[in-house]
Amino acid sequence: MERVTETMISTDEIRQAVVRLGKQITEDYGGSEIVVVGILKGAFVFLADLVREISCPMILDFMQVSSYGTGTVSSGNVKIKKDLDYDIAGKDVLIVEDIIDSGVTMQCLKRELYARNPKSIKVCAAFDKPSRRKVDFVADYIGIEVPDEFIVGYGLDYAGKYRNLPDVCVLEVDGGDK
Ligand code: IMP
Ligand code: MG
């Protein structure tokens, strides 16, 4: 069985990070229109908070993806469960993700979306676990860096649960396979 233990990141800390990111993104894009792509399901809480702190004109879209695993990343395949509704050719795209772990999903997704000829692609993640990287991936905007612990809440799940927790908590699993 699993159990949610201590709070790692409070709602106040998350709020501060979101406000900072929103300001930075608004400044960086100036008045240009962006296509914000929320990655389902984990990013839904962060996305809702973040977009309300960004004052650029935007079109909001969603994708649901999973990476094919980490063995041979050179081909960069990502399985698309739900694709974009909008054409991103010539657009400035901002991908909004919950957490970057190995980096494989975002590396693959960026490659996939670049093939559609956008003007630019940047990635904004609420949380980042740089110590877990398996590929060389750096996000453009990071809310909060976290240590190598499995975390839940603020949209992040374990087996579909705990996404509704307002703060971020560490999850402990007996017998350990997360
Ligand atoms: P990556 O391809 O290894 O970077 O995978 C990132 C994805 O793994 C995220 O979008 C999450 O769905 C999931 N993930 C990674 N670490 C955690 C965690 O600590 N809690 C919940 N989900 C996580
Ligand atoms: Mg997940």
Side-chain angles (χ1 to χ4, degrees), residues 82-111:
K82 188 238 171 275
D83 206 338
L84 295 173
D85 292 330
Y86 291 93
D87 180 6
I88 57 168
K91 305 284 189 185
D92 288 309
V93 175
L94 179 67
I95 299 173
V96 177
E97 170 68 313
D98 55 358
I99 185 167
I100 311 213
D101 188 51
S102 70
V104 173
T105 309
M106 278 304 108
Q107 190 186 62
C108 294
L109 180 63
K110 263 183 102 170
R111 198 171 295 155

Side-chain angles (χ1 to χ4, degrees), residues 39 67 97-106 129 149-152 156-158:
I39 305 302
S67 63
E97 170 68 313
D98 55 358
I99 185 167
I100 311 213
D101 188 51
S102 70
V104 173
T105 309
M106 278 304 108
K129 277 192 218 169
E149 303 263 18
F150 197 86
I151 55 176
V152 293
L156 290 145
D157 76 305
Y158 171 72

Side-chain angles (χ1 to χ4, degrees), residues 12-72:
D12 278 359
E13 287 172 88
I14 297 171
R15 179 76 202 140
Q16 282 172 29
V18 169
V19 169
R20 171 176 54 78
L21 289 171
K23 279 206 179 90
Q24 188 66 56
I25 291 166
T26 301
E27 243 178 74
D28 291 355
Y29 286 99
S32 332
E33 183 182 87
I34 55 180
V35 179
V36 175
V37 176
I39 305 302
L40 296 171
K41 302 173 184 163
F44 82 108
V45 178
F46 177 50
L47 181 78
D49 285 344
L50 182 69
V51 292
R52 289 177 291 172
E53 299 300 324
I54 300 175
S55 52
C56 320
M58 71 171 69
I59 286 173
L60 193 59
D61 206 346
F62 293 94
M63 281 185 99
Q64 190 170 10
V65 298
S66 59
S67 63
Y68 276 131
T70 55
T72 51

